[in-house]
Amino acid sequence: MSGLGKLFGKGKKAKAPTPQEAIQKLRETEEVLVKKQEFLEQKIQQELQSAKKHGTKNKRAALQALKRKKRYEQQLSQIDGTLSTIEFQREALENATTNTEVLKTMSDAARAMKEAHQHMDIDKVDDLMAEITEQQDIAQQISDAISKPVGFGDDVDEDELLAELEEMEQEDLDKELLNVGEPTPELPSVPASRLPSVPASKVPATSAVDDEDEDMKQLAAWVS
């Protein structure tokens, strides 16, 4: 029989609680002990006040109050030690539970990675990457070929074109120089004196005369 079995008087092996159950039990025990601490602290203050109240008037009652105060302080000290042990045990159990979950997660991830790599061959991966690189090179060559100018202008010598352009510019310059050397024809001079104005009365009124002739013709025709 194990030490824990002897301690609790159990001959058969009891089913171990889960980590979560054990942590919950420890927390409940901590709460009970904390309440017990608060109770003892109140009792200590009460016994202290009782000892002060009796003082020298009733030394026996004062001594009894101080004795009870001492017992409460001892119990309080024991609870402090017990709480420290329980707190340490709870934190260790929580850490162990966390580590267990982390290891389980890492184990699951390792199995998943192994399953993912099961259908992969490193040689095939290398071949695939080499093929991708080759196709990228071919695509780059095709792009370079498409972007290269083709057709008219590839076989033309740019030096000849520049020489022809300079020759045309020189001809234009020569023509301008020739035009500068020719004399400019003289235009007739404008007379300085003012021309005489014609009176408006001397201008024949052609339309009025024509109207009078037409009226005379109509009158002669009516008389005859």
Side-chain angles (χ1 to χ4, degrees), residues 77-143:
S77 178
Q78 291 173 354
I79 291 175
D80 288 339
T82 305
L83 279 174
S84 297
T85 302
I86 291 176
E87 184 178 0
F88 174 79
Q89 189 176 14
R90 177 177 55 79
E91 292 177 353
L93 188 56
E94 288 174 347
N95 291 334
T97 303
T98 302
N99 292 336
T100 301
E101 292 297 328
V102 171
L103 290 175
K104 183 178 180 300
T105 303
M106 293 175 65
S107 178
D108 294 340
R111 287 197 300 269
M113 186 176 294
K114 183 178 180 180
E115 180 67 20
H117 291 164
Q118 185 175 1
H119 304 289
M120 292 184 183
D121 187 353
I122 187 63
D123 294 333
K124 292 182 180 179
V125 173
D126 291 338
D127 295 340
L128 177 61
M129 296 306 298
E131 184 177 353
I132 291 174
T133 302
E134 182 180 358
Q135 293 301 322
Q136 289 178 344
D137 294 339
I138 294 175
Q140 184 63 41
Q141 293 176 6
I142 293 174
S143 299

Side-chain angles (χ1 to χ4, degrees), residues 176-215:
E176 292 179 359
L177 293 175
L178 290 175
N179 292 333
V180 170
E182 293 180 357
T184 304
E186 295 183 358
L187 296 175
S189 59
V190 179
S193 60
R194 185 175 180 181
L195 295 176
S197 59
V198 178
S201 58
K202 294 183 178 181
V203 177
T206 305
S207 58
V209 174
D210 294 338
D211 292 340
E212 291 178 357
D213 293 341
E214 184 67 22
D215 293 338

Side-chain angles (χ1 to χ4, degrees), residues 1-10:
M1 185 179 296
S2 63
L4 290 176
K6 293 179 181 179
L7 180 62
F8 294 103
K10 295 181 180 180

Side-chain angles (χ1 to χ4, degrees), residues 17-193:
T18 63
Q20 290 75 14
E21 292 175 348
I23 291 172
Q24 183 61 30
K25 287 290 185 181
L26 290 171
R27 286 176 177 170
E28 293 175 357
T29 304
E30 283 184 277
E31 292 177 358
V32 172
L33 292 176
V34 168
K35 292 180 180 179
K36 186 65 180 293
Q37 272 185 327
E38 295 174 354
F39 173 76
L40 290 174
E41 288 174 352
Q42 292 177 358
K43 297 297 291 183
I44 290 172
Q45 291 298 324
Q46 291 176 1
E47 297 300 335
L48 182 60
Q49 293 297 328
S50 178
K52 290 181 179 179
K53 179 181 178 181
H54 295 292
T56 57
K57 297 179 182 178
N58 191 348
K59 291 183 178 181
R60 184 176 179 181
L63 290 174
Q64 291 296 328
L66 291 175
K67 288 179 181 180
R68 289 191 298 269
K69 173 179 170 294
K70 287 292 183 182
R71 289 199 305 268
Y72 293 149
E73 289 176 347
Q74 289 177 357
Q75 293 179 27
L76 186 61
S77 178
Q78 291 173 354
I79 291 175
D80 288 339
T82 305
L83 279 174
S84 297
T85 302
I86 291 176
E87 184 178 0
F88 174 79
Q89 189 176 14
R90 177 177 55 79
E91 292 177 353
L93 188 56
E94 288 174 347
N95 291 334
T97 303
T98 302
N99 292 336
T100 301
E101 292 297 328
V102 171
L103 290 175
K104 183 178 180 300
T105 303
M106 293 175 65
S107 178
D108 294 340
R111 287 197 300 269
M113 186 176 294
K114 183 178 180 180
E115 180 67 20
H117 291 164
Q118 185 175 1
H119 304 289
M120 292 184 183
D121 187 353
I122 187 63
D123 294 333
K124 292 182 180 179
V125 173
D126 291 338
D127 295 340
L128 177 61
M129 296 306 298
E131 184 177 353
I132 291 174
T133 302
E134 182 180 358
Q135 293 301 322
Q136 289 178 344
D137 294 339
I138 294 175
Q140 184 63 41
Q141 293 176 6
I142 293 174
S143 299
D144 295 340
I146 292 175
S147 60
K148 183 179 180 181
V150 295
F152 177 77
D154 291 346
D155 55 348
V156 177
D157 189 357
E158 291 187 359
D159 294 337
E160 294 181 0
L161 295 178
L162 291 174
E164 183 178 354
L165 180 61
E166 292 178 357
E167 183 178 353
M168 294 172 60
E169 292 177 349
Q170 186 64 39
E171 290 179 357
D172 293 339
L173 182 60
D174 294 341
K175 289 180 180 180
E176 292 179 359
L177 293 175
L178 290 175
N179 292 333
V180 170
E182 293 180 357
T184 304
E186 295 183 358
L187 296 175
S189 59
V190 179
S193 60

